[in-house]
Amino acid sequence: MEGTRHGRLIANSLMDVTIRVKSVRPFSVKQMGVLLDNAHLLRGTGQRNGICEVLFAASWICGEFASMLSRPRAAIEAMLKPQSTTLPGHIQAVFVQNVMKLYAHVVKEGMEDDGDEDEVADIHALLEGTLPMYVQSGDLEVQERACSVMQLLKYMKKCRDRDQDILPEVVALFDGEMNPVAPKAQRKVPVPDG
């Protein structure tokens, strides 16, 4: 698999099928979680290792359909491994964004089920401890996303210390699913005046 140039095509196909075919989603999400757990097999060492592009799709699918993921914490931990910083910047950026989506999902589950506050606190601490490696990234998009997430985490902690409940607002940031849109649909939208 190392050296393939079809990683981006595979990633796009995985995302397209998962988004459009609802009956496949649960299976796809489960497999993408497994893929993230085994990301070390796809990282490779060469510049031409395009197969790591499927990690982009795996991360996005797990974040977007987090409710179908049986072990969101495992996916979060997989995306926060130090080796992830060797991936291309656009993949790291998607990791940072989807780690936060998964965290919001864990928070939502905790709110709905009067769940385990310790689990939420553990993941919060994990994020605070590991996201600085992304803040130091050479890629500006990764830095920006990581800084934004770090500031959001600090604000959440500050509010929690003041007994202010902002968790519903944090969950609302990432709530809802994306709907499939045809590639030519944008052409059909009229250009606004001005």
Side-chain angles (χ1 to χ4, degrees):
M1 295 266 266
E2 190 169 331
T4 186
R5 295 181 185 161
H6 303 293
R8 185 163 288 168
L9 178 63
I10 295 168
N12 289 338
S13 296
L14 285 168
M15 290 172 63
D16 189 43
V17 170
T18 303
I19 292 166
R20 294 180 186 280
V21 186
K22 289 183 180 182
S23 62
V24 171
R25 259 184 223 159
F27 176 78
S28 180
V29 172
K30 180 180 178 185
Q31 295 309 307
M32 294 303 104
V34 171
L35 191 61
L36 287 173
D37 282 340
N38 295 294
H40 63 280
L41 300 173
L42 300 176
R43 284 193 185 101
T45 55
Q47 277 291 86
R48 295 184 45 204
N49 187 18
I51 199 64
C52 70
E53 292 291 330
V54 298
L55 295 173
F56 178 100
S59 173
W60 190 90
I61 290 168
C62 287
E64 188 62 28
F65 304 107
S67 63
M68 296 179 185
L69 197 59
S70 60
R71 295 178 30 230
R73 183 182 181 128
I76 291 171
E77 289 172 347
M79 289 187 272
L80 293 176
K81 289 182 179 172
Q83 299 89 337
S84 298
T85 59
T86 63
L87 293 168
H90 67 284
I91 297 173
Q92 291 181 47
V94 168
F95 273 22
V96 172
Q97 184 74 21
N98 287 290
V99 159
M100 196 59 198
K101 284 183 182 180
L102 289 168
Y103 176 63
H105 171 71
V106 170
V107 168
K108 181 179 179 181
E109 281 186 337
M111 287 176 4
E112 290 174 353
D113 303 334
D114 285 332
D116 189 2
E117 288 184 25
D118 290 339
E119 175 76 3
V120 173
D122 286 350
I123 294 176
H124 190 100
L126 174 68
L127 292 174
E128 284 185 326
T130 54
L131 277 173
M133 71 181 173
Y134 286 117
V135 171
Q136 299 169 0
S137 172
D139 187 282
L140 293 176
E141 183 69 23
V142 176
Q143 284 181 22
E144 183 176 21
R145 289 185 189 197
C147 287
S148 296
V149 170
M150 290 294 295
Q151 289 305 312
L152 180 58
L153 292 171
K154 287 177 184 176
Y155 183 69
M156 289 171 66
K157 189 173 188 174
K158 184 194 246 182
C159 289
R160 189 173 55 232
D161 291 345
R162 294 180 183 167
D163 289 328
Q164 295 174 326
D165 185 18
I166 64 159
L167 295 182
E169 287 84 3
V170 172
V171 169
L173 287 172
F174 302 101
D175 212 13
E177 292 181 0
M178 301 291 277
N179 295 321
V181 177
K184 296 179 183 179
Q186 186 64 39
R187 286 189 224 150
K188 295 178 181 180
V189 176
V191 178
D193 294 331

